Amino acid sequence: MQHDVIFCGFGGQGTLFAGQLLAYAAMDAGLHVTWIPSYGPEMRGGTAHCTVIVSDEEIGSPLVRAPSYVLAFNNPSVEKYELLLAPNGVLIHNSSLTSHAITRAEIRVVPIPASDVAAEIGNAKLMNMVMMGALLQCSQMLPFEAIERALEAHMSTRRPELLALNKRALQRGVELAQAQSAGLGVEASA
Amino acid sequence: MQHDVIFCGFGGQGTLFAGQLLAYAAMDAGLHVTWIPSYGPEMRGGTAHCTVIVSDEEIGSPLVRAPSYVLAFNNPSVEKYELLLAPNGVLIHNSSLTSHAITRAEIRVVPIPASDVAAEIGNAKLMNMVMMGALLQCSQMLPFEAIERALEAHMSTRRPELLALNKRALQRGVELAQAQSAGLGVEASA
Amino acid sequence: MASKGRIVIDSERCKGCELCASVCPHHSIHMAETFNAKGYRPAVWVDTDEQCTGCATCAVICPDAAIKVYRQVALRAVPSGV
Amino acid sequence: MASKGRIVIDSERCKGCELCASVCPHHSIHMAETFNAKGYRPAVWVDTDEQCTGCATCAVICPDAAIKVYRQVALRAVPSGV
Amino acid sequence: MIANTVEVDPSDRVDPLDRTVEELVAQRPKTLSEIDTHYCPGCMHGVAHRLVAEVIDELNIRERTIGVAPVGCSVFAYNYFECDFAVAAHGRAPAMATGLKRVMPDKVIFTYQGDGDLASIGSAEILHAAARGENITVVFVNNAVYGMTGGQMAPTTLVGMKTTSSPYGRDLKMSGAPLKMSELIAQIDGVAFVSRRSLHSPAEIRKAKKAIRRAFEMQLNGQGFSMVELLSSCPTNWDMKPVEALRWIETRMVPVFPLGDFKNSVPKNSVRGV
Amino acid sequence: MIANTVEVDPSDRVDPLDRTVEELVAQRPKTLSEIDTHYCPGCMHGVAHRLVAEVIDELNIRERTIGVAPVGCSVFAYNYFECDFAVAAHGRAPAMATGLKRVMPDKVIFTYQGDGDLASIGSAEILHAAARGENITVVFVNNAVYGMTGGQMAPTTLVGMKTTSSPYGRDLKMSGAPLKMSELIAQIDGVAFVSRRSLHSPAEIRKAKKAIRRAFEMQLNGQGFSMVELLSSCPTNWDMKPVEALRWIETRMVPVFPLGDFKNSVPKNSVRGV
Amino acid sequence: MPKQLLKGNEAIAEAAIRAGVDAYFGYPITPQTELLEYMAKRMPELGRAFVQAESEVAAINMVYGAACAGKRAMTSSSSPGVSLMQEGLSYIAGSEVPVVLVDVMRGGPGLGNIAPSQADYFQMVKSAGHGDFKPIVLAPATVQEAIDLTGLAFDLAEKYRTIVTLLLDGTLGQMMEPAELPPMRPMPAEMPAWALTGAAGRKKNSILSFRMEAEDLEAHNLHLQQKLAVIADEEVRTYEYMLDDAELIVVGFGTAGRVSQTAVKQARQKGIKVGLLRPITLSPFPDRRLSQLADEARGFLVVEMNAGQMVEDVRLSVGGQAPVKFYGRMGGVVPMPDEILASIARLDQATTKAPPTYKIEGPLVPLTKAHEVTR
Amino acid sequence: MPKQLLKGNEAIAEAAIRAGVDAYFGYPITPQTELLEYMAKRMPELGRAFVQAESEVAAINMVYGAACAGKRAMTSSSSPGVSLMQEGLSYIAGSEVPVVLVDVMRGGPGLGNIAPSQADYFQMVKSAGHGDFKPIVLAPATVQEAIDLTGLAFDLAEKYRTIVTLLLDGTLGQMMEPAELPPMRPMPAEMPAWALTGAAGRKKNSILSFRMEAEDLEAHNLHLQQKLAVIADEEVRTYEYMLDDAELIVVGFGTAGRVSQTAVKQARQKGIKVGLLRPITLSPFPDRRLSQLADEARGFLVVEMNAGQMVEDVRLSVGGQAPVKFYGRMGGVVPMPDEILASIARLDQATTKAPPTYKIEGPLVPLTKAHEVTR
Ligand SMILES: Cc1ncc(C[n+]2csc(CCOP(=O)(O)OP(=O)(O)O)c2C)c(N)n1
Ligand SMILES: Cc1ncc(C[n+]2csc(CCOP(=O)(O)OP(=O)(O)O)c2C)c(N)n1
Ligand code: SF4
Ligand code: SF4
Ligand code: SF4
Ligand code: SF4
């Protein structure tokens, strides 16, 4: 079983870190994983994205043309990756910031008001964790605890109060996605 | 018919110029010719030599392992080229300065007291022209007039009085070689 | 009395660096609360007490040449012809 | 009275540049008429009027370090041991 | 920036009572293209670009000016100027400019270079262009770091300054002290004009523009090599707000890199270009 | 050259009446190998070699000294010194020396470079070794031409001087004025000692040796970059007799390249090497 | 050691540190800068030498100097920077001092871009500088392999007194994967006998690439060639995947090889008998292994992120025994598994079981629009 | 024009001048320095640009600048200097400006020596810098050819907006032969439309090798590859000698080819049916011509002054249809006709009329002591 996830957003939205967190969790769970960022002279301010592949077998290509999951943090990302998503893929987007109307019918679209929820929790920067929670819920690729443990293990220990907030954000993401899939009925398998 | 000639001596003995003069003469006579010097960081003061090939056909290799003629202006040159000369080749050496005893039997050795003769004529620098005269006589590769014309055409015109002296030196070289071959009887063909 | 000067900020070109606001001697420039298409909060000219002199200090420091400055000057004969 | 100094020129190392001869304050160095193995006319020490002071000026300028210089000095206790 | 001849904008409103007219006193120079730059917010490369463009406008030399862009954040300069441009290899802009100038002595050739480009990898080329008295103009933007590659130490990085390649702060023992290129270049005989200016305030920016203009005039007069060093900011890699970054230039860089003209030849005849 | 401690030669003849003893006051230094050099007659590379060898002998550092030879006539230096040696790529000796010194800070590293090598192709490397305050010693032989390749113009060629690549004489407009490397390098902060000396007379040669010694002492004291520029001759490519060539240095080069110490740091503690 | 999630560039840096690198000299260039930055942090911590050089020219000559001292020295760069190192590399090769170079390739020619590329295969394998020399070239495809090959690089460099290059592209330099780092090696107590350490109690040493006499230089070159022959006998390494019964063979190195593996897997699922040979040593090239495979294979497909470079070595190895097709992407575009799969399928259909007498057709290099050539 | 006795280096310089070179930038290095010195004298006389650059790095970038102005620009150097030009060459190739480079090769690697060599075939033909590009490479063997190819070099450079290299060795650079110089060409009145001449009355021009987006750079690279395909179709040139009935074919370029011609003549006198193919264009390589010859030939002998470089291209062209032997000398040693003759004789005896099914044996490159390899 292989999961291909693209995380994409503006620089500063925590896109790369979210991807790395997933990679850490997958590694700690004994799975094969690759994380690869886009890099360029226009990284700052521009678009940041990364690809994470999680698999129970050796991973060949660390890049995918058509990901099974896309976590889109902003509008341009939704626009771009709607088209690239694999058939029956899942597009999770931060509906607090996105307005792009999605036209592809056979993909599963999961709008998550992640920025708003993060602000509610108390820190707009937690947006990426809310999205991550939604990804976990939609994909079931790793148990929730795996990400929690990864957070504990790999997050800077300088501000321990943040850890609880991050976990809270993750949890909220799970819940929001659960609510969504409830609405949708059957989950599309990627 | 192809003639391979190596001119060799100390830097400053007019080795390269003598070779070039032969090349000019051959060119003006409508023959094919190549002139190639040795070159190196130790050119000055060290040994200078050049290879001239004169032929009535297109010339392939501009270098030869075993020349048919060697014009050796000093002792080290005699030592070195005695061994490399083609079978039946002709070694013309400046016996004013050379003392090396020649051991190869089948080559033709033509000692020419060129430095002494040049000094007699009035300029030690004419040594190379005396040697050249001897080469012409031994090889018959070009008529005497061809070299004379080349001298006229390609020598610096700043000191016209030198021209006559050069011609005189050439002539003396021819004579000395004539005397030699008279002594030897039959001329070895290269 | 109207201001002696006025400026026009190209808010789509503006990157919200705040340099203009920091140098305006009359504090006539503020940063918007909203974002432009590039995702920056652009500078806005807020000259409520009509202090802008058109000194162009803001334009001099703007790295994105996003500011046009107009200044009221005494009317002179406009050169004709050339 | 003998010269205060004397020099030994390694004539096979000498390249006949004439620098030593040009700087010797007592003109004690001349160039040979004959050639060494390298084809140079080497410098020779000709101290006929015993003027050489062993000042080492020649050695200082010799690019080929071909000159050894000896000088007569007042006898002192030769340091023993070390 | 401030147009020398007052330009009357079509939109001017004339108020007959006040007998005043509204004039356009500041706008984008014509030699600056309409394209938005990719520079980070508050990066003073933008100001340096504008000043050069204004000078080109004022001297009316756009149609005979050829710029040479470096490798660095300003590699995109070719995109932002409305004149012919080449992009040099990293550090080699002065050599490329030499090639251009030698075959077109009547054209105006300038390079635009960062401190990594000019003072590090390209130090031989700048030194020798100066030594030859190459009749070109160099605009040298010193922001104390390598911007484009993500904030590594430059030859101009201050002692103690932390960068991504001097994580413990630039160490005098390990990396030496900052190189003062203007002082060095000014030593060289063929050099006509060298000035170091700063972009940290509107007043300094105005002076910087004067220096740039003088540098181009030197070239137009055939007086030889001219260079203007501009102290600039890299808010991104300095990890500062733009306003803060300008204060840092003033308080930290200027003491190490003093401002002023380090060489200023007497003008020859008048400027040929205008 | 003149041994500091009087060495008694086995061959000494003692004259009991005069109460004098004959001492060996000048001989080949031990660090100079017995091999004959390939240098042209009267070429002052030979003197420069000897001075360096004498200083190494006197400081007793031969066994921990590593030289870096350039590409130029002195490419053969590795053959002529009795200490470890590397031959660098043309101009890169200071970079190579940096590599050697950084991994062996307790060793004495010196480069020996010509003016083409140091001032032309290697100008970036010398500048940055100086800027880093690299604790190495540079012996810079300035003979105003490229010797090994047959007498082309160097950055140090005098204006008007004919060379094989400036057949009409070095032209100020075309090639600029000679580069004064000692003056330039002395400007740089990390530099401990820079001196220009000449080899045109025994008196100057003695001063040159003192400068070389001081340069090595700087390194031994860990004081940073030290360089001695030596005005030297190339009789072959100048087309002069050796004696004439030395006069040419004195009368023509010295006025352009003034002699003296351009930087001379206060000595730290005592010399570690002796 | 437990696995860590490591970025290629940083993994190589740490692996070099653990392999005992004494000195690192480099100059920033994307996409390898993290390697330099990592060294900037770790080397001073360990009391080892780190210098950010003024240029790549200086960097390689600093490496040359440190290596002459018998120390483990390395540098890293990317395409344009490696071009600037050519002279230094040639001197190092001529001098036979061990040096490790990491070349994280990017798009060219010229300034090109910073995207991943393999366009410098020729530059590293055929001509890393003037003169007849070849470094050993290792091509990792995973972070773990990058770590392992870094250690090997130092071993081989010292064993053969040669340059060893790790040749990879920006993809591997930038990506993170779980990998295990080896333990820290002890530093050697003694320097090799040839090193420049000061002529104390021994004859002086000289290190140079200069041989004035043609005959001496020829002898030296013969010696270098003989060393290459030994290396070709002893040091060829490949990664092989599903080759046992393969009728079609995909050949690709580094990222192209890794992506091809996915395509091979997919092709197998479609029933195509295809396998992958991923050369780990590009120099020495696995020519004998390929020649052996060519006895049975119906066809070869070479996949590269360039206009077709390694394909020449494959053709030389296959020697006309089977058709060799090429699929390439350029300018920083990484081929995707689906493209390669399609190319495999076309090869499958175009080739019959009995290898045809095969002959060159058309020019050697030109690519069609589709970036494919059959040769 | 009557024939003159001309030295290779100077003949090329004068030929360039007559071909209308506007600017020369160079740095002294044996064995090409006479070219620079000649230019130092002649260019100022004609009011054209001459600069002795501070280094080869600067020289190639000055050439780049002058070429951007649409002017005919050239430089010359030798092996180590050409290594230093690699980055600049790559930029020039990426920017598609016409440039002529003369590379008078010497012994390597490293400082090597100044004796004649062909050890930089790979450097010029396979990898003149990073990225996928190839200059046109012309290999003269006589002074006359050097003159003619210099004129051609400027034509091709402008026609294809590419780098054209004259690749020769010190022998040809230093030798004198009678040759005829062409008349002085008139200088063009107008610069090409792409040139940087100031944006007067037209849109601005930009010249750069930079393509930020991978897709753009790929498109640019495809364009460069397509240009190479056209060049391969149109511009192959060879010199052929006694090939009509040849069973054995000697292949060699430049001096090695020229010396081989003497050996071929001598072999013919001994009754061996041998001919010579001397590639004049090394890039594009005469692969189709060789492939055609391979239909009939019993065997090939490649003679080079290196460890075996062009032999790979011959093998690629021959494609296994006949054995390809190699004879090489290195380090500045020029092979003599007698050595080559002996090698021809051995080939004659070792090969039978019916070409055997041919297969690679042993590693690709190693030379035996005798510098011979059969492949
Ligand atoms: C030969 C080469 N080496 C390194 C690089 C990578 N590189 C690109 S820009 C740059 C530094 C730019 O810094 P600077 O010149 O200070 O300009 P800034 O970006 O700060 O404006 C470097 C090292 C390159 N492109 N080419
Ligand atoms: C990269 C490179 N460029 C050019 C050369 C040729 N070259 C050898 S020595 C030399 C100049 C030497 O001149 P200088 O440094 O002044 O030393 P000198 O011979 O005068 O002592 C040159 C250009 C080379 N070997 N390598
Ligand atoms: S023109 Fe002057 S006063 Fe007006 S907004 Fe700008 S800085 Fe302020
Ligand atoms: S200075 Fe310019 S870019 Fe910055 S905030 Fe003001 S208008 Fe915007
Ligand atoms: S990285 Fe620095 S120099 Fe580059 S654009 Fe951003 S602020 Fe300016
Ligand atoms: S060429 Fe000049 S520098 Fe070289 S050895 Fe001769 S005199 Fe000395």
Side-chain angles (χ1 to χ4, degrees), chain B residues 123-142:
Chain B
N123 188 334
K125 297 218 160 193
L126 296 168
M127 180 274 285
N128 58 351
M129 288 301 110
V130 178
M131 294 291 285
M132 174 71 89
L135 173 70
L136 284 184
Q137 175 58 28
C138 296
S139 67
Q140 302 290 331
M141 73 176 83
L142 287 172

PDB file of all heavy atoms in Angstrom, chain B residues 123-142:
ATOM      1  N   ASN B 123      82.809  36.406 -39.444  1.00  0.00           N
ATOM      2  CA  ASN B 123      81.736  36.466 -38.465  1.00  0.00           C
ATOM      3  C   ASN B 123      81.385  35.043 -38.029  1.00  0.00           C
ATOM      4  O   ASN B 123      80.892  34.246 -38.826  1.00  0.00           O
ATOM      5  CB  ASN B 123      80.510  37.149 -39.086  1.00  0.00           C
ATOM      6  CG  ASN B 123      79.426  37.422 -38.050  1.00  0.00           C
ATOM      7  OD1 ASN B 123      79.348  36.732 -37.031  1.00  0.00           O
ATOM      8  ND2 ASN B 123      78.614  38.426 -38.320  1.00  0.00           N
ATOM      9  N   ALA B 124      81.625  34.768 -36.750  1.00  0.00           N
ATOM     10  CA  ALA B 124      81.404  33.414 -36.224  1.00  0.00           C
ATOM     11  C   ALA B 124      79.965  32.961 -36.442  1.00  0.00           C
ATOM     12  O   ALA B 124      79.667  31.768 -36.501  1.00  0.00           O
ATOM     13  CB  ALA B 124      81.759  33.361 -34.742  1.00  0.00           C
ATOM     14  N   LYS B 125      79.055  33.933 -36.548  1.00  0.00           N
ATOM     15  CA  LYS B 125      77.634  33.596 -36.693  1.00  0.00           C
ATOM     16  C   LYS B 125      77.317  32.952 -38.039  1.00  0.00           C
ATOM     17  O   LYS B 125      76.219  32.427 -38.245  1.00  0.00           O
ATOM     18  CB  LYS B 125      76.771  34.851 -36.524  1.00  0.00           C
ATOM     19  CG  LYS B 125      76.894  35.465 -35.148  1.00  0.00           C
ATOM     20  CD  LYS B 125      75.551  35.991 -34.661  1.00  0.00           C
ATOM     21  CE  LYS B 125      75.592  36.136 -33.134  1.00  0.00           C
ATOM     22  NZ  LYS B 125      74.293  36.349 -32.529  1.00  0.00           N
ATOM     23  N   LEU B 126      78.254  33.038 -38.958  1.00  0.00           N
ATOM     24  CA  LEU B 126      78.000  32.460 -40.285  1.00  0.00           C
ATOM     25  C   LEU B 126      78.171  30.941 -40.293  1.00  0.00           C
ATOM     26  O   LEU B 126      77.946  30.293 -41.319  1.00  0.00           O
ATOM     27  CB  LEU B 126      78.934  33.091 -41.321  1.00  0.00           C
ATOM     28  CG  LEU B 126      78.723  34.594 -41.532  1.00  0.00           C
ATOM     29  CD1 LEU B 126      79.875  35.185 -42.336  1.00  0.00           C
ATOM     30  CD2 LEU B 126      77.391  34.849 -42.236  1.00  0.00           C
ATOM     31  N   MET B 127      78.570  30.403 -39.158  1.00  0.00           N
ATOM     32  CA  MET B 127      78.768  28.955 -39.048  1.00  0.00           C
ATOM     33  C   MET B 127      77.600  28.170 -39.650  1.00  0.00           C
ATOM     34  O   MET B 127      77.786  27.214 -40.417  1.00  0.00           O
ATOM     35  CB  MET B 127      78.960  28.582 -37.574  1.00  0.00           C
ATOM     36  CG  MET B 127      79.165  27.114 -37.293  1.00  0.00           C
ATOM     37  SD  MET B 127      77.617  26.185 -37.097  1.00  0.00           S
ATOM     38  CE  MET B 127      77.107  26.727 -35.474  1.00  0.00           C
ATOM     39  N   ASN B 128      76.386  28.591 -39.316  1.00  0.00           N
ATOM     40  CA  ASN B 128      75.228  27.824 -39.793  1.00  0.00           C
ATOM     41  C   ASN B 128      75.132  27.816 -41.328  1.00  0.00           C
ATOM     42  O   ASN B 128      74.701  26.843 -41.928  1.00  0.00           O
ATOM     43  CB  ASN B 128      73.916  28.322 -39.145  1.00  0.00           C
ATOM     44  CG  ASN B 128      73.652  29.806 -39.401  1.00  0.00           C
ATOM     45  OD1 ASN B 128      74.513  30.518 -39.919  1.00  0.00           O
ATOM     46  ND2 ASN B 128      72.453  30.260 -39.053  1.00  0.00           N
ATOM     47  N   MET B 129      75.589  28.905 -41.959  1.00  0.00           N
ATOM     48  CA  MET B 129      75.512  28.956 -43.428  1.00  0.00           C
ATOM     49  C   MET B 129      76.578  28.062 -44.074  1.00  0.00           C
ATOM     50  O   MET B 129      76.348  27.459 -45.127  1.00  0.00           O
ATOM     51  CB  MET B 129      75.659  30.399 -43.923  1.00  0.00           C
ATOM     52  CG  MET B 129      74.437  31.258 -43.643  1.00  0.00           C
ATOM     53  SD  MET B 129      72.901  30.613 -44.396  1.00  0.00           S
ATOM     54  CE  MET B 129      72.019  30.097 -42.945  1.00  0.00           C
ATOM     55  N   VAL B 130      77.721  27.986 -43.415  1.00  0.00           N
ATOM     56  CA  VAL B 130      78.750  27.071 -43.917  1.00  0.00           C
ATOM     57  C   VAL B 130      78.184  25.639 -43.890  1.00  0.00           C
ATOM     58  O   VAL B 130      78.280  24.881 -44.867  1.00  0.00           O
ATOM     59  CB  VAL B 130      80.032  27.164 -43.059  1.00  0.00           C
ATOM     60  CG1 VAL B 130      81.075  26.177 -43.567  1.00  0.00           C
ATOM     61  CG2 VAL B 130      80.565  28.591 -43.053  1.00  0.00           C
ATOM     62  N   MET B 131      77.555  25.310 -42.775  1.00  0.00           N
ATOM     63  CA  MET B 131      76.975  23.974 -42.625  1.00  0.00           C
ATOM     64  C   MET B 131      75.898  23.733 -43.684  1.00  0.00           C
ATOM     65  O   MET B 131      75.795  22.647 -44.259  1.00  0.00           O
ATOM     66  CB  MET B 131      76.366  23.817 -41.224  1.00  0.00           C
ATOM     67  CG  MET B 131      77.388  23.844 -40.094  1.00  0.00           C
ATOM     68  SD  MET B 131      78.454  22.373 -40.061  1.00  0.00           S
ATOM     69  CE  MET B 131      77.323  21.154 -39.401  1.00  0.00           C
ATOM     70  N   MET B 132      75.097  24.761 -43.906  1.00  0.00           N
ATOM     71  CA  MET B 132      74.024  24.662 -44.890  1.00  0.00           C
ATOM     72  C   MET B 132      74.594  24.378 -46.276  1.00  0.00           C
ATOM     73  O   MET B 132      74.062  23.560 -47.049  1.00  0.00           O
ATOM     74  CB  MET B 132      73.229  25.971 -44.887  1.00  0.00           C
ATOM     75  CG  MET B 132      72.189  26.061 -45.957  1.00  0.00           C
ATOM     76  SD  MET B 132      70.827  24.951 -45.611  1.00  0.00           S
ATOM     77  CE  MET B 132      69.867  26.080 -44.653  1.00  0.00           C
ATOM     78  N   GLY B 133      75.686  25.076 -46.608  1.00  0.00           N
ATOM     79  CA  GLY B 133      76.340  24.833 -47.886  1.00  0.00           C
ATOM     80  C   GLY B 133      76.728  23.359 -48.013  1.00  0.00           C
ATOM     81  O   GLY B 133      76.487  22.710 -49.048  1.00  0.00           O
ATOM     82  N   ALA B 134      77.274  22.836 -46.937  1.00  0.00           N
ATOM     83  CA  ALA B 134      77.686  21.431 -46.955  1.00  0.00           C
ATOM     84  C   ALA B 134      76.484  20.519 -47.171  1.00  0.00           C
ATOM     85  O   ALA B 134      76.540  19.535 -47.929  1.00  0.00           O
ATOM     86  CB  ALA B 134      78.399  21.091 -45.644  1.00  0.00           C
ATOM     87  N   LEU B 135      75.396  20.847 -46.514  1.00  0.00           N
ATOM     88  CA  LEU B 135      74.177  20.032 -46.682  1.00  0.00           C
ATOM     89  C   LEU B 135      73.725  20.019 -48.140  1.00  0.00           C
ATOM     90  O   LEU B 135      73.387  18.965 -48.703  1.00  0.00           O
ATOM     91  CB  LEU B 135      73.041  20.580 -45.795  1.00  0.00           C
ATOM     92  CG  LEU B 135      71.668  19.928 -46.010  1.00  0.00           C
ATOM     93  CD1 LEU B 135      71.666  18.488 -45.491  1.00  0.00           C
ATOM     94  CD2 LEU B 135      70.549  20.716 -45.344  1.00  0.00           C
ATOM     95  N   LEU B 136      73.727  21.212 -48.738  1.00  0.00           N
ATOM     96  CA  LEU B 136      73.287  21.309 -50.126  1.00  0.00           C
ATOM     97  C   LEU B 136      74.142  20.411 -51.010  1.00  0.00           C
ATOM     98  O   LEU B 136      73.652  19.678 -51.874  1.00  0.00           O
ATOM     99  CB  LEU B 136      73.395  22.747 -50.615  1.00  0.00           C
ATOM    100  CG  LEU B 136      72.321  23.704 -50.124  1.00  0.00           C
ATOM    101  CD1 LEU B 136      72.514  25.075 -50.773  1.00  0.00           C
ATOM    102  CD2 LEU B 136      70.925  23.154 -50.445  1.00  0.00           C
ATOM    103  N   GLN B 137      75.431  20.494 -50.750  1.00  0.00           N
ATOM    104  CA  GLN B 137      76.350  19.735 -51.579  1.00  0.00           C
ATOM    105  C   GLN B 137      76.145  18.224 -51.391  1.00  0.00           C
ATOM    106  O   GLN B 137      76.060  17.471 -52.355  1.00  0.00           O
ATOM    107  CB  GLN B 137      77.792  20.132 -51.223  1.00  0.00           C
ATOM    108  CG  GLN B 137      78.857  19.331 -51.937  1.00  0.00           C
ATOM    109  CD  GLN B 137      78.720  19.450 -53.458  1.00  0.00           C
ATOM    110  OE1 GLN B 137      78.232  20.461 -53.973  1.00  0.00           O
ATOM    111  NE2 GLN B 137      79.134  18.411 -54.178  1.00  0.00           N
ATOM    112  N   CYS B 138      76.008  17.812 -50.144  1.00  0.00           N
ATOM    113  CA  CYS B 138      75.872  16.380 -49.872  1.00  0.00           C
ATOM    114  C   CYS B 138      74.550  15.824 -50.366  1.00  0.00           C
ATOM    115  O   CYS B 138      74.465  14.681 -50.800  1.00  0.00           O
ATOM    116  CB  CYS B 138      75.991  16.101 -48.378  1.00  0.00           C
ATOM    117  SG  CYS B 138      77.599  16.495 -47.712  1.00  0.00           S
ATOM    118  N   SER B 139      73.483  16.621 -50.228  1.00  0.00           N
ATOM    119  CA  SER B 139      72.151  16.079 -50.515  1.00  0.00           C
ATOM    120  C   SER B 139      71.691  16.355 -51.934  1.00  0.00           C
ATOM    121  O   SER B 139      70.859  15.625 -52.471  1.00  0.00           O
ATOM    122  CB  SER B 139      71.127  16.698 -49.561  1.00  0.00           C
ATOM    123  OG  SER B 139      70.991  18.085 -49.860  1.00  0.00           O
ATOM    124  N   GLN B 140      72.180  17.449 -52.488  1.00  0.00           N
ATOM    125  CA  GLN B 140      71.700  17.882 -53.805  1.00  0.00           C
ATOM    126  C   GLN B 140      70.185  18.030 -53.819  1.00  0.00           C
ATOM    127  O   GLN B 140      69.537  17.862 -54.853  1.00  0.00           O
ATOM    128  CB  GLN B 140      72.141  16.876 -54.897  1.00  0.00           C
ATOM    129  CG  GLN B 140      73.639  16.681 -54.984  1.00  0.00           C
ATOM    130  CD  GLN B 140      74.384  17.904 -55.547  1.00  0.00           C
ATOM    131  OE1 GLN B 140      73.827  18.665 -56.341  1.00  0.00           O
ATOM    132  NE2 GLN B 140      75.597  18.116 -55.105  1.00  0.00           N
ATOM    133  N   MET B 141      69.617  18.327 -52.665  1.00  0.00           N
ATOM    134  CA  MET B 141      68.144  18.379 -52.647  1.00  0.00           C
ATOM    135  C   MET B 141      67.605  19.646 -53.283  1.00  0.00           C
ATOM    136  O   MET B 141      66.461  19.684 -53.723  1.00  0.00           O
ATOM    137  CB  MET B 141      67.599  18.195 -51.224  1.00  0.00           C
ATOM    138  CG  MET B 141      67.786  19.350 -50.283  1.00  0.00           C
ATOM    139  SD  MET B 141      66.981  19.035 -48.686  1.00  0.00           S
ATOM    140  CE  MET B 141      68.208  18.069 -47.833  1.00  0.00           C
ATOM    141  N   LEU B 142      68.429  20.680 -53.313  1.00  0.00           N
ATOM    142  CA  LEU B 142      68.029  21.935 -53.956  1.00  0.00           C
ATOM    143  C   LEU B 142      69.249  22.531 -54.642  1.00  0.00           C
ATOM    144  O   LEU B 142      70.366  22.367 -54.152  1.00  0.00           O
ATOM    145  CB  LEU B 142      67.535  22.939 -52.898  1.00  0.00           C
ATOM    146  CG  LEU B 142      66.182  22.714 -52.256  1.00  0.00           C
ATOM    147  CD1 LEU B 142      65.993  23.712 -51.124  1.00  0.00           C
ATOM    148  CD2 LEU B 142      65.062  22.860 -53.289  1.00  0.00           C
TER     149      LEU B 142
END
